[in-house]
Amino acid sequence: MRTVVRLLTAVERTEQQERTLARVRTECERTDARFREQGIDLDVSISRALDELIDGTPSIDPCPAYSYAFYQAVAAHFCDPTDLGAWRRPSWFRAMDDELARHGVPSDLLPGTFLFSGPPLRLPHPGDAVPAIGTLPAGRAPELTDVYARVLDRLDPEFRGPARRLADALHAEAREGESARRAGTNRDTLLFWFH
């Protein structure tokens, strides 16, 4: 994630950063085209939002284009996305948070705390409930996996499946993180993207 933030905020970019930005721009243009075909108007194109993020001049008005542009910058660096499936509306996670907290899960490991925490840099609010961005330090994945495993069997059935799905995904991330650490790389952040 530090690489993504540096990419979007660099005063002078390296050749590698310029190549990455070219890929990101292409993906932003593809998403703009797909949205046009679907009749979706974001007020600001995703390509323009990317340029404004790079220039440090994003709008202060709510607009989801900036979140989509940020996502494309992240996608150019994160190579192993995991689909957590279809989830209920974001407000449902408050009920899940309450259930997990009731069984002793610390507040900073409740899904609503990190799933909707926002990106690591300031973006205009997307407006509606989606797209939503959340982050979790990759080093917290093993702890979350352990804590959830201890309470899964005690959870109300409505929350057991989603909590297990999240714990399983983060268990896989913890294994990947350990492999990356042994290989000498640093997986610093897990990104959650709801759209």
Side-chain angles (χ1 to χ4, degrees), residues 18-87:
E18 289 297 342
R19 284 191 298 273
T20 300
L21 273 178
R23 287 195 324 269
V24 172
R25 276 192 182 89
T26 299
E27 291 305 315
C28 288
E29 290 165 2
R30 285 183 182 155
T31 306
D32 281 333
R34 183 170 42 89
F35 281 3
R36 275 192 305 275
E37 289 172 5
Q38 296 173 356
I40 298 171
D41 180 16
L42 300 180
D43 295 327
V44 173
S45 73
I46 298 167
S47 299
R48 180 174 150 205
L50 175 66
D51 289 337
E52 291 178 9
L53 288 175
I54 291 167
D55 293 340
T57 60
S59 171
I60 58 169
D61 297 328
C63 181
Y66 299 93
S67 295
Y68 283 105
F70 178 78
Y71 172 77
Q72 292 302 338
V74 170
H77 292 87
F78 283 57
C79 61
D80 56 349
T82 300
D83 185 351
L84 293 175
W87 295 77

Side-chain angles (χ1 to χ4, degrees), residues 53-185:
L53 288 175
I54 291 167
D55 293 340
T57 60
S59 171
I60 58 169
D61 297 328
C63 181
Y66 299 93
S67 295
Y68 283 105
F70 178 78
Y71 172 77
Q72 292 302 338
V74 170
H77 292 87
F78 283 57
C79 61
D80 56 349
T82 300
D83 185 351
L84 293 175
W87 295 77
R88 297 178 184 210
R89 63 191 184 282
S91 62
W92 176 82
F93 283 96
R94 281 191 232 129
M96 187 173 176
D97 286 352
D98 291 345
E99 176 70 3
L100 288 165
R102 190 168 68 84
H103 292 286
V105 173
S107 63
D108 60 337
L109 294 178
L110 297 174
T113 302
F114 59 86
L115 291 176
F116 307 102
S117 60
L121 57 92
R122 191 177 181 107
L123 298 178
H125 192 279
D128 291 332
V130 293
I133 297 172
T135 60
L136 179 72
R140 301 290 313 268
E143 178 185 3
L144 185 141
T145 301
D146 292 344
V147 168
Y148 280 36
R150 287 195 299 267
V151 302
L152 275 174
D153 293 339
R154 298 191 321 248
L155 297 177
D156 182 284
E158 177 182 2
F159 304 107
R160 194 173 299 138
R164 185 179 318 278
R165 189 175 331 143
L166 189 56
D168 288 348
L170 290 174
H171 180 70
E173 288 297 329
R175 284 194 321 264
E176 285 284 325
E178 181 58 28
S179 295
R181 189 186 63 72
R182 283 195 306 270
T185 60

